PDB file of all heavy atoms in Angstrom:
ATOM      1  N   GLN A1196      89.388 109.720 147.040  1.00 97.00           N
ATOM      2  CA  GLN A1196      90.649 110.053 147.662  1.00 97.00           C
ATOM      3  C   GLN A1196      91.816 109.750 146.710  1.00 97.00           C
ATOM      4  O   GLN A1196      91.698 108.911 145.826  1.00 97.00           O
ATOM      5  CB  GLN A1196      90.868 109.272 148.933  1.00 97.00           C
ATOM      6  CG  GLN A1196      89.947 109.715 150.084  1.00 97.00           C
ATOM      7  CD  GLN A1196      90.287 109.037 151.400  1.00 97.00           C
ATOM      8  OE1 GLN A1196      90.819 107.926 151.420  1.00 97.00           O
ATOM      9  NE2 GLN A1196      90.021 109.699 152.516  1.00 97.00           N
ATOM     10  N   ARG A1197      92.895 110.475 146.894  1.00 97.00           N
ATOM     11  CA  ARG A1197      94.106 110.168 146.131  1.00 97.00           C
ATOM     12  C   ARG A1197      94.619 108.781 146.478  1.00 97.00           C
ATOM     13  O   ARG A1197      94.687 108.450 147.668  1.00 97.00           O
ATOM     14  CB  ARG A1197      95.179 111.243 146.408  1.00 97.00           C
ATOM     15  CG  ARG A1197      96.356 111.182 145.446  1.00 97.00           C
ATOM     16  CD  ARG A1197      97.261 112.405 145.689  1.00 97.00           C
ATOM     17  NE  ARG A1197      96.539 113.673 145.379  1.00 97.00           N
ATOM     18  CZ  ARG A1197      97.215 114.865 145.321  1.00 97.00           C
ATOM     19  NH1 ARG A1197      98.539 114.917 145.524  1.00 97.00           N
ATOM     20  NH2 ARG A1197      96.510 115.904 145.088  1.00 97.00           N
ATOM     21  N   GLU A1198      94.988 108.019 145.459  1.00 98.00           N
ATOM     22  CA  GLU A1198      95.466 106.683 145.712  1.00 98.00           C
ATOM     23  C   GLU A1198      96.780 106.411 145.045  1.00 98.00           C
ATOM     24  O   GLU A1198      97.103 106.980 143.970  1.00 98.00           O
ATOM     25  CB  GLU A1198      94.437 105.635 145.215  1.00 98.00           C
ATOM     26  CG  GLU A1198      94.176 105.691 143.736  1.00 98.00           C
ATOM     27  CD  GLU A1198      93.227 104.517 143.271  1.00 98.00           C
ATOM     28  OE1 GLU A1198      92.720 103.789 144.118  1.00 98.00           O
ATOM     29  OE2 GLU A1198      93.031 104.445 142.034  1.00 98.00           O
ATOM     30  N   LEU A1199      97.550 105.513 145.625  1.00 98.00           N
ATOM     31  CA  LEU A1199      98.832 105.116 145.078  1.00 98.00           C
ATOM     32  C   LEU A1199      98.641 104.281 143.819  1.00 98.00           C
ATOM     33  O   LEU A1199      97.810 103.358 143.801  1.00 98.00           O
ATOM     34  CB  LEU A1199      99.626 104.289 146.143  1.00 98.00           C
ATOM     35  CG  LEU A1199     100.935 103.774 145.659  1.00 98.00           C
ATOM     36  CD1 LEU A1199     101.912 104.829 145.400  1.00 98.00           C
ATOM     37  CD2 LEU A1199     101.494 102.736 146.702  1.00 98.00           C
ATOM     38  N   VAL A1200      99.397 104.583 142.795  1.00 98.00           N
ATOM     39  CA  VAL A1200      99.329 103.771 141.562  1.00 98.00           C
ATOM     40  C   VAL A1200     100.601 102.911 141.492  1.00 98.00           C
ATOM     41  O   VAL A1200     100.502 101.735 141.248  1.00 98.00           O
ATOM     42  CB  VAL A1200      99.285 104.687 140.347  1.00 98.00           C
ATOM     43  CG1 VAL A1200      99.365 103.915 139.037  1.00 98.00           C
ATOM     44  CG2 VAL A1200      97.986 105.542 140.366  1.00 98.00           C
ATOM     45  N   ALA A1201     101.775 103.557 141.649  1.00 98.00           N
ATOM     46  CA  ALA A1201     103.009 102.779 141.465  1.00 98.00           C
ATOM     47  C   ALA A1201     104.176 103.543 142.148  1.00 98.00           C
ATOM     48  O   ALA A1201     104.124 104.762 142.222  1.00 98.00           O
ATOM     49  CB  ALA A1201     103.367 102.500 139.994  1.00 98.00           C
ATOM     50  N   THR A1202     105.125 102.793 142.618  1.00 98.00           N
ATOM     51  CA  THR A1202     106.342 103.388 143.173  1.00 98.00           C
ATOM     52  C   THR A1202     107.615 102.706 142.612  1.00 98.00           C
ATOM     53  O   THR A1202     107.545 101.575 142.111  1.00 98.00           O
ATOM     54  CB  THR A1202     106.427 103.311 144.714  1.00 98.00           C
ATOM     55  OG1 THR A1202     106.381 101.909 145.093  1.00 98.00           O
ATOM     56  CG2 THR A1202     105.246 104.010 145.330  1.00 98.00           C
ATOM     57  N   ILE A1203     108.703 103.450 142.646  1.00 98.00           N
ATOM     58  CA  ILE A1203     109.996 102.905 142.196  1.00 98.00           C
ATOM     59  C   ILE A1203     111.046 103.415 143.116  1.00 98.00           C
ATOM     60  O   ILE A1203     111.124 104.619 143.428  1.00 98.00           O
ATOM     61  CB  ILE A1203     110.305 103.230 140.741  1.00 98.00           C
ATOM     62  CG1 ILE A1203     111.577 102.542 140.295  1.00 98.00           C
ATOM     63  CG2 ILE A1203     110.332 104.739 140.490  1.00 98.00           C
ATOM     64  CD1 ILE A1203     111.730 102.545 138.740  1.00 98.00           C
ATOM     65  N   THR A1204     111.855 102.517 143.705  1.00 96.00           N
ATOM     66  CA  THR A1204     112.914 102.868 144.642  1.00 96.00           C
ATOM     67  C   THR A1204     114.112 103.458 143.866  1.00 96.00           C
ATOM     68  O   THR A1204     114.158 103.394 142.615  1.00 96.00           O
ATOM     69  CB  THR A1204     113.367 101.749 145.440  1.00 96.00           C
ATOM     70  OG1 THR A1204     114.016 100.791 144.610  1.00 96.00           O
ATOM     71  CG2 THR A1204     112.173 101.028 146.189  1.00 96.00           C
ATOM     72  N   ASN A1205     115.096 103.991 144.625  1.00 93.00           N
ATOM     73  CA  ASN A1205     116.276 104.510 143.949  1.00 93.00           C
ATOM     74  C   ASN A1205     117.039 103.383 143.260  1.00 93.00           C
ATOM     75  O   ASN A1205     117.804 103.620 142.307  1.00 93.00           O
ATOM     76  CB  ASN A1205     117.170 105.251 144.916  1.00 93.00           C
ATOM     77  CG  ASN A1205     117.609 104.374 146.062  1.00 93.00           C
ATOM     78  OD1 ASN A1205     117.072 103.338 146.352  1.00 93.00           O
ATOM     79  ND2 ASN A1205     118.593 104.839 146.850  1.00 93.00           N
ATOM     80  N   GLY A1206     116.848 102.165 143.738  1.00 93.00           N
ATOM     81  CA  GLY A1206     117.467 101.013 143.111  1.00 93.00           C
ATOM     82  C   GLY A1206     116.695 100.348 142.019  1.00 93.00           C
ATOM     83  O   GLY A1206     117.144  99.405 141.361  1.00 93.00           O
ATOM     84  N   GLY A1207     115.539 100.899 141.724  1.00 94.00           N
ATOM     85  CA  GLY A1207     114.720 100.378 140.606  1.00 94.00           C
ATOM     86  C   GLY A1207     113.670  99.351 140.958  1.00 94.00           C
ATOM     87  O   GLY A1207     113.013  98.787 140.070  1.00 94.00           O
ATOM     88  N   ASN A1208     113.526  99.065 142.230  1.00 97.00           N
ATOM     89  CA  ASN A1208     112.462  98.137 142.632  1.00 97.00           C
ATOM     90  C   ASN A1208     111.082  98.809 142.482  1.00 97.00           C
ATOM     91  O   ASN A1208     110.933  99.954 142.901  1.00 97.00           O
ATOM     92  CB  ASN A1208     112.648  97.656 144.043  1.00 97.00           C
ATOM     93  CG  ASN A1208     113.910  96.830 144.218  1.00 97.00           C
ATOM     94  OD1 ASN A1208     114.230  95.947 143.347  1.00 97.00           O
ATOM     95  ND2 ASN A1208     114.721  97.071 145.230  1.00 97.00           N
ATOM     96  N   THR A1209     110.127  98.078 141.981  1.00 98.00           N
ATOM     97  CA  THR A1209     108.848  98.674 141.694  1.00 98.00           C
ATOM     98  C   THR A1209     107.725  97.979 142.515  1.00 98.00           C
ATOM     99  O   THR A1209     107.830  96.819 142.933  1.00 98.00           O
ATOM    100  CB  THR A1209     108.489  98.583 140.219  1.00 98.00           C
ATOM    101  OG1 THR A1209     108.495  97.174 139.832  1.00 98.00           O
ATOM    102  CG2 THR A1209     109.488  99.305 139.383  1.00 98.00           C
ATOM    103  N   ASN A1210     106.612  98.736 142.673  1.00 98.00           N
ATOM    104  CA  ASN A1210     105.440  98.245 143.390  1.00 98.00           C
ATOM    105  C   ASN A1210     104.240  98.837 142.731  1.00 98.00           C
ATOM    106  O   ASN A1210     104.300 100.036 142.297  1.00 98.00           O
ATOM    107  CB  ASN A1210     105.458  98.623 144.848  1.00 98.00           C
ATOM    108  CG  ASN A1210     104.323  98.038 145.636  1.00 98.00           C
ATOM    109  OD1 ASN A1210     104.118  96.833 145.568  1.00 98.00           O
ATOM    110  ND2 ASN A1210     103.608  98.883 146.321  1.00 98.00           N
ATOM    111  N   TYR A1211     103.141  98.052 142.578  1.00 98.00           N
ATOM    112  CA  TYR A1211     101.975  98.528 141.855  1.00 98.00           C
ATOM    113  C   TYR A1211     100.710  98.273 142.661  1.00 98.00           C
ATOM    114  O   TYR A1211     100.618  97.247 143.377  1.00 98.00           O
ATOM    115  CB  TYR A1211     101.838  97.856 140.512  1.00 98.00           C
ATOM    116  CG  TYR A1211     103.006  98.113 139.567  1.00 98.00           C
ATOM    117  CD1 TYR A1211     104.077  97.296 139.507  1.00 98.00           C
ATOM    118  CD2 TYR A1211     102.961  99.197 138.733  1.00 98.00           C
ATOM    119  CE1 TYR A1211     105.139  97.509 138.657  1.00 98.00           C
ATOM    120  CE2 TYR A1211     104.027  99.471 137.859  1.00 98.00           C
ATOM    121  CZ  TYR A1211     105.108  98.617 137.821  1.00 98.00           C
ATOM    122  OH  TYR A1211     106.135  98.855 136.994  1.00 98.00           O
ATOM    123  N   ALA A1212      99.715  99.161 142.460  1.00 98.00           N
ATOM    124  CA  ALA A1212      98.403  98.878 142.987  1.00 98.00           C
ATOM    125  C   ALA A1212      97.835  97.661 142.202  1.00 98.00           C
ATOM    126  O   ALA A1212      98.150  97.499 141.002  1.00 98.00           O
ATOM    127  CB  ALA A1212      97.472 100.066 142.769  1.00 98.00           C
ATOM    128  N   ASP A1213      97.044  96.855 142.868  1.00 98.00           N
ATOM    129  CA  ASP A1213      96.497  95.690 142.253  1.00 98.00           C
ATOM    130  C   ASP A1213      95.652  96.068 140.985  1.00 98.00           C
ATOM    131  O   ASP A1213      95.659  95.290 140.036  1.00 98.00           O
ATOM    132  CB  ASP A1213      95.563  94.964 143.192  1.00 98.00           C
ATOM    133  CG  ASP A1213      96.373  94.221 144.324  1.00 98.00           C
ATOM    134  OD1 ASP A1213      97.565  94.034 144.164  1.00 98.00           O
ATOM    135  OD2 ASP A1213      95.735  93.872 145.311  1.00 98.00           O
ATOM    136  N   SER A1214      95.049  97.197 141.005  1.00 97.00           N
ATOM    137  CA  SER A1214      94.173  97.574 139.901  1.00 97.00           C
ATOM    138  C   SER A1214      94.921  97.900 138.604  1.00 97.00           C
ATOM    139  O   SER A1214      94.366  97.949 137.517  1.00 97.00           O
ATOM    140  CB  SER A1214      93.330  98.844 140.287  1.00 97.00           C
ATOM    141  OG  SER A1214      94.194  99.907 140.602  1.00 97.00           O
ATOM    142  N   VAL A1215      96.227  98.084 138.706  1.00 98.00           N
ATOM    143  CA  VAL A1215      97.032  98.447 137.505  1.00 98.00           C
ATOM    144  C   VAL A1215      98.080  97.424 137.205  1.00 98.00           C
ATOM    145  O   VAL A1215      98.774  97.537 136.167  1.00 98.00           O
ATOM    146  CB  VAL A1215      97.652  99.833 137.611  1.00 98.00           C
ATOM    147  CG1 VAL A1215      96.595 100.876 137.968  1.00 98.00           C
ATOM    148  CG2 VAL A1215      98.795  99.892 138.621  1.00 98.00           C
ATOM    149  N   LYS A1216      98.296  96.431 138.036  1.00 98.00           N
ATOM    150  CA  LYS A1216      99.327  95.400 137.739  1.00 98.00           C
ATOM    151  C   LYS A1216      99.068  94.706 136.416  1.00 98.00           C
ATOM    152  O   LYS A1216      97.988  94.342 136.038  1.00 98.00           O
ATOM    153  CB  LYS A1216      99.299  94.324 138.856  1.00 98.00           C
ATOM    154  CG  LYS A1216     100.002  94.747 140.131  1.00 98.00           C
ATOM    155  CD  LYS A1216      99.923  93.610 141.161  1.00 98.00           C
ATOM    156  CE  LYS A1216     100.611  94.053 142.482  1.00 98.00           C
ATOM    157  NZ  LYS A1216     100.494  92.994 143.532  1.00 98.00           N
ATOM    158  N   GLY A1217     100.183  94.595 135.679  1.00 98.00           N
ATOM    159  CA  GLY A1217     100.139  93.959 134.335  1.00 98.00           C
ATOM    160  C   GLY A1217      99.752  94.961 133.245  1.00 98.00           C
ATOM    161  O   GLY A1217      99.849  94.598 132.114  1.00 98.00           O
ATOM    162  N   ARG A1218      99.290  96.167 133.592  1.00 98.00           N
ATOM    163  CA  ARG A1218      98.929  97.133 132.582  1.00 98.00           C
ATOM    164  C   ARG A1218      99.821  98.358 132.597  1.00 98.00           C
ATOM    165  O   ARG A1218     100.071  98.962 131.556  1.00 98.00           O
ATOM    166  CB  ARG A1218      97.450  97.572 132.800  1.00 98.00           C
ATOM    167  CG  ARG A1218      96.457  96.470 132.713  1.00 98.00           C
ATOM    168  CD  ARG A1218      95.042  97.015 132.736  1.00 98.00           C
ATOM    169  NE  ARG A1218      94.719  97.710 133.985  1.00 98.00           N
ATOM    170  CZ  ARG A1218      94.316  98.954 134.022  1.00 98.00           C
ATOM    171  NH1 ARG A1218      94.152  99.672 132.905  1.00 98.00           N
ATOM    172  NH2 ARG A1218      94.012  99.550 135.180  1.00 98.00           N
ATOM    173  N   PHE A1219     100.281  98.761 133.789  1.00 98.00           N
ATOM    174  CA  PHE A1219     101.075  99.974 133.950  1.00 98.00           C
ATOM    175  C   PHE A1219     102.528  99.586 134.250  1.00 98.00           C
ATOM    176  O   PHE A1219     102.734  98.563 134.968  1.00 98.00           O
ATOM    177  CB  PHE A1219     100.568 100.822 135.074  1.00 98.00           C
ATOM    178  CG  PHE A1219      99.243 101.516 134.788  1.00 98.00           C
ATOM    179  CD1 PHE A1219      98.461 101.202 133.733  1.00 98.00           C
ATOM    180  CD2 PHE A1219      98.786 102.519 135.653  1.00 98.00           C
ATOM    181  CE1 PHE A1219      97.241 101.853 133.498  1.00 98.00           C
ATOM    182  CE2 PHE A1219      97.590 103.146 135.437  1.00 98.00           C
ATOM    183  CZ  PHE A1219      96.816 102.785 134.316  1.00 98.00           C
ATOM    184  N   THR A1220     103.484 100.405 133.835  1.00 98.00           N
ATOM    185  CA  THR A1220     104.847 100.193 134.162  1.00 98.00           C
ATOM    186  C   THR A1220     105.513 101.520 134.543  1.00 98.00           C
ATOM    187  O   THR A1220     105.444 102.483 133.806  1.00 98.00           O
ATOM    188  CB  THR A1220     105.621  99.603 132.961  1.00 98.00           C
ATOM    189  OG1 THR A1220     105.016  98.366 132.552  1.00 98.00           O
ATOM    190  CG2 THR A1220     107.111  99.344 133.303  1.00 98.00           C
ATOM    191  N   ILE A1221     106.104 101.542 135.735  1.00 98.00           N
ATOM    192  CA  ILE A1221     106.837 102.748 136.161  1.00 98.00           C
ATOM    193  C   ILE A1221     108.317 102.538 135.888  1.00 98.00           C
ATOM    194  O   ILE A1221     108.838 101.398 136.032  1.00 98.00           O
ATOM    195  CB  ILE A1221     106.557 103.023 137.700  1.00 98.00           C
ATOM    196  CG1 ILE A1221     107.157 104.347 138.085  1.00 98.00           C
ATOM    197  CG2 ILE A1221     107.099 101.875 138.540  1.00 98.00           C
ATOM    198  CD1 ILE A1221     106.741 104.767 139.492  1.00 98.00           C
ATOM    199  N   SER A1222     109.004 103.600 135.510  1.00 98.00           N
ATOM    200  CA  SER A1222     110.410 103.505 135.255  1.00 98.00           C
ATOM    201  C   SER A1222     111.045 104.924 135.579  1.00 98.00           C
ATOM    202  O   SER A1222     110.312 105.892 135.707  1.00 98.00           O
ATOM    203  CB  SER A1222     110.726 103.133 133.800  1.00 98.00           C
ATOM    204  OG  SER A1222     110.186 104.053 132.871  1.00 98.00           O
ATOM    205  N   ARG A1223     112.349 104.928 135.606  1.00 97.00           N
ATOM    206  CA  ARG A1223     113.024 106.171 135.897  1.00 97.00           C
ATOM    207  C   ARG A1223     114.331 106.256 135.121  1.00 97.00           C
ATOM    208  O   ARG A1223     114.952 105.249 134.789  1.00 97.00           O
ATOM    209  CB  ARG A1223     113.298 106.326 137.410  1.00 97.00           C
ATOM    210  CG  ARG A1223     114.255 105.334 137.970  1.00 97.00           C
ATOM    211  CD  ARG A1223     114.267 105.348 139.517  1.00 97.00           C
ATOM    212  NE  ARG A1223     114.748 106.683 140.021  1.00 97.00           N
ATOM    213  CZ  ARG A1223     114.583 107.071 141.267  1.00 97.00           C
ATOM    214  NH1 ARG A1223     113.873 106.378 142.097  1.00 97.00           N
ATOM    215  NH2 ARG A1223     115.098 108.248 141.628  1.00 97.00           N
ATOM    216  N   ASP A1224     114.749 107.485 134.858  1.00 96.00           N
ATOM    217  CA  ASP A1224     116.030 107.781 134.245  1.00 96.00           C
ATOM    218  C   ASP A1224     116.744 108.764 135.112  1.00 96.00           C
ATOM    219  O   ASP A1224     116.413 110.011 135.094  1.00 96.00           O
ATOM    220  CB  ASP A1224     115.819 108.324 132.826  1.00 96.00           C
ATOM    221  CG  ASP A1224     117.126 108.540 132.053  1.00 96.00           C
ATOM    222  OD1 ASP A1224     118.143 108.834 132.702  1.00 96.00           O
ATOM    223  OD2 ASP A1224     117.085 108.474 130.838  1.00 96.00           O
TER     224      ASP A1224
END
């Protein structure tokens, strides 16, 4: 199934799946 990897709010707050924490970084411009 499709799974969540990471999210970022309009204010820049981020959230990660446990499997990618410390390895992946989400950002926005």
Side-chain angles (χ1 to χ4, degrees):
Q1196 289 189 332
R1197 191 172 297 189
E1198 63 175 2
L1199 175 68
V1200 175
T1202 60
I1203 185 166
T1204 67
N1205 59 344
N1208 293 317
T1209 59
N1210 185 55
Y1211 298 93
D1213 288 343
S1214 58
V1215 307
K1216 280 181 182 177
R1218 300 189 298 123
F1219 290 11
T1220 302
I1221 188 171
S1222 61
R1223 65 190 295 163
D1224 185 330

